[in-house]
Amino acid sequence: MKKSDFFYDLPEELIAQTPIEPRDASRLMLIDRSNKNCDEDVFRNIIDYLNEGDLLVLNDTRVLPARIYGTRTDTGAVVEFVLLKQLETNKWECIAGPGKKAKEGHSFKFSDKLSATVINVLDDGNRVLDFNYDKDFFAALDEIGQMPLPHYIKEELKDKERYQTVYSKELGSAAAPTAGLHFTKELMEKIKNKGVDIAYVTLHVGLGTFRPVKVDEITDHHMHSEHYSISKETAEKINFTKKNGGRVICVGTTSCRTLESAATKYGEIKECEDDTSIFIYPGYEFKCMDALITNFHLPESTLIMLVSAFAGYDFTMEFYNKAVKDKYRFFSFGDSMFIR
């Protein structure tokens, strides 16, 4: 299939710039794969479409305030860095811009508590920084760091927590698993009280999730790698749900990619930790996921390709175009869909 097969025309005004309040007030498109039908509701009513014995699988990663601005100690030049991956205790792989002002050996000051030196320039242009800090790196980062919002969000985010899920726990992502932004703690309690179980996986989302597919043939696309882990408790819940006829419902494409990566590698879901670069597109046979809660994704992205693999290509493009026509809000802070 061609990249252009996954294009749809999206007016810029439909790209959500701010999160809706309250979290669970977003619109919910209900997508039935069996009869190719679409209905509409509000996200807080997702509970009406979940059954006792189902299992929600959530990604509990927490976003780093990974965008920081450093002043070069010799020239005073200001450079933006985005932390991508922790390599060692003090060493991080980062994106730098403008890169020509952040060469090997250059030192930067970010605050009274945080400084760093560029110790390597990688082949792809990313930098490796060796940080110096006072006692707690993450505390220093939290004081000065900004959320690494995707490029299509132009408005400033006033509350950092609105780019975190209410169940975020494991610090390490460069972007939010945005399907989970619709949940409130109250809604999650109601879901549990209905007899729907909840399990957590961790996949640290990289900025590669926003990188466009640049090749015409989608099979030539090289996926970025991300780190994931599945606990013994989560594996047992998934296997119990499957054995007893419940649905495993992934909240977000990151949860989906975690489960499908494990199922593909091991032939089952079990306690594990690994890196994954799984690329799911039409023709893929799902091994674990039975239903998916997700947002509306960018045209020609790997994420709309994943949705097309699950819901069927023609039907996916049909309900995406319907969402545009009905003026749904798109992308990270946008509305939601439940594909079942």
Side-chain angles (χ1 to χ4, degrees):
M1 299 186 76
K2 303 285 189 183
K3 175 182 72 170
S4 57
D5 292 333
F6 298 90
F7 178 80
Y8 65 93
D9 191 18
L10 180 70
E12 189 173 346
E13 62 267 21
L14 296 185
I15 301 174
Q17 294 297 313
T18 55
I20 199 166
E21 294 295 346
R23 288 175 180 259
D24 58 2
S26 59
R27 294 166 73 182
L28 174 67
M29 181 179 280
L30 298 160
I31 298 162
D32 191 321
R33 294 184 296 155
S34 60
N35 62 18
K36 302 293 189 288
N37 186 54
C38 297
D39 290 315
E40 183 177 329
D41 208 326
V42 178
F43 191 84
R44 70 174 65 94
N45 294 333
I46 187 77
I47 191 170
D48 295 337
Y49 308 99
L50 305 177
N51 305 322
E52 183 177 352
D54 285 344
L55 176 69
L56 283 183
V57 180
L58 312 176
N59 182 6
D60 65 2
T61 189
R62 186 166 175 81
V63 185
L64 287 164
R67 178 171 279 117
I68 54 178
Y69 295 87
T71 302
R72 218 170 92 180
T73 54
D74 57 349
T75 65
V78 176
V79 175
E80 177 191 81
F81 294 91
V82 179
L83 279 63
L84 294 180
K85 188 193 319 183
Q86 188 173 22
L87 304 176
E88 297 177 30
T89 302
N90 298 341
K91 295 179 176 64
W92 286 76
E93 181 179 343
C94 306
I95 296 173
K100 62 183 179 181
K101 295 183 178 179
K103 296 182 179 179
E104 190 172 322
H106 289 163
S107 294
F108 292 85
K109 183 175 181 179
F110 299 94
S111 72
D112 291 339
K113 300 177 182 177
L114 190 66
S115 61
T117 300
V118 179
I119 61 171
N120 195 9
V121 178
L122 303 178
D123 292 341
D124 60 4
N126 290 348
R127 269 61 175 166
V128 177
L129 267 63
D130 187 1
F131 282 93
N132 296 295
Y133 48 88
D134 180 21
K135 296 181 182 178
D136 188 333
F137 173 78
F138 293 106
L141 183 66
D142 196 51
E143 285 185 10
I144 62 166
Q146 300 177 16
M147 285 299 173
L149 296 177
H151 62 87
Y152 49 75
I153 294 179
K154 312 298 183 185
E155 293 193 24
E156 182 181 352
L157 181 65
K158 296 178 181 178
D159 178 7
K160 287 182 183 179
E161 282 301 307
R162 282 306 272 111
Y163 197 55
Q164 305 278 17
T165 63
V166 296
Y167 48 81
S168 64
K169 179 182 176 184
E170 302 294 336
L171 198 61
S173 273
T178 55
L181 295 179
H182 305 281
F183 287 88
T184 65
K185 290 182 179 179
E186 294 76 16
L187 179 57
M188 291 177 69
E189 279 303 311
K190 290 179 181 177
I191 289 170
K192 289 179 185 176
N193 291 338
K194 188 176 180 178
V196 177
D197 205 354
I198 292 177
Y200 297 96
V201 297
T202 303
L203 181 141
H204 291 315
V205 188
L207 287 179
T209 192
F210 299 118
R211 286 179 182 158
V213 176
K214 294 182 178 179
V215 292
D216 290 331
E217 291 286 345
I218 65 171
T219 52
D220 293 335
H221 175 67
H222 178 68
M223 281 289 286
H224 58 286
S225 181
E226 294 167 318
H227 191 73
Y228 75 87
S229 61
I230 300 174
S231 67
K232 181 180 179 182
E233 179 186 8
T234 290
E236 288 175 349
K237 285 187 175 186
I238 291 168
N239 293 325
F240 177 85
T241 300
K242 286 287 191 182
K243 181 180 178 181
N244 289 277
R247 295 177 298 175
V248 173
I249 302 169
C250 290
V251 177
T253 56
T254 58
S255 298
C256 167
R257 293 178 69 243
T258 299
L259 298 192
E260 293 300 320
S261 295
T264 298
K265 182 169 184 176
Y266 302 108
E268 61 178 337
I269 301 297
K270 66 177 185 178
E271 180 182 9
C272 57
E273 184 174 355
D274 206 346
D275 293 328
T276 180
S277 56
I278 190 171
F279 182 18
I280 297 175
Y281 54 87
Y284 177 85
E285 292 186 11
F286 286 83
K287 301 164 184 64
C288 183
M289 184 176 74
D290 299 305
L292 174 66
I293 296 170
T294 190
N295 285 14
F296 292 90
H297 306 294
L298 276 72
E300 300 183 336
S301 66
T302 59
L303 303 181
I304 192 174
M305 294 172 191
L306 184 154
V307 170
S308 297
F310 188 59
Y313 168 74
D314 290 334
F315 186 38
T316 297
M317 302 313 295
E318 179 184 322
F319 63 70
Y320 261 81
N321 285 308
K322 175 178 170 55
V324 172
K325 181 181 176 183
D326 293 347
K327 299 189 183 306
Y328 276 71
R329 301 167 79 245
F330 278 70
F331 305 162
S332 296
F333 288 142
D335 293 318
S336 181
M337 64 175 89
F338 180 30
I339 309 172
R340 50 197 172 132

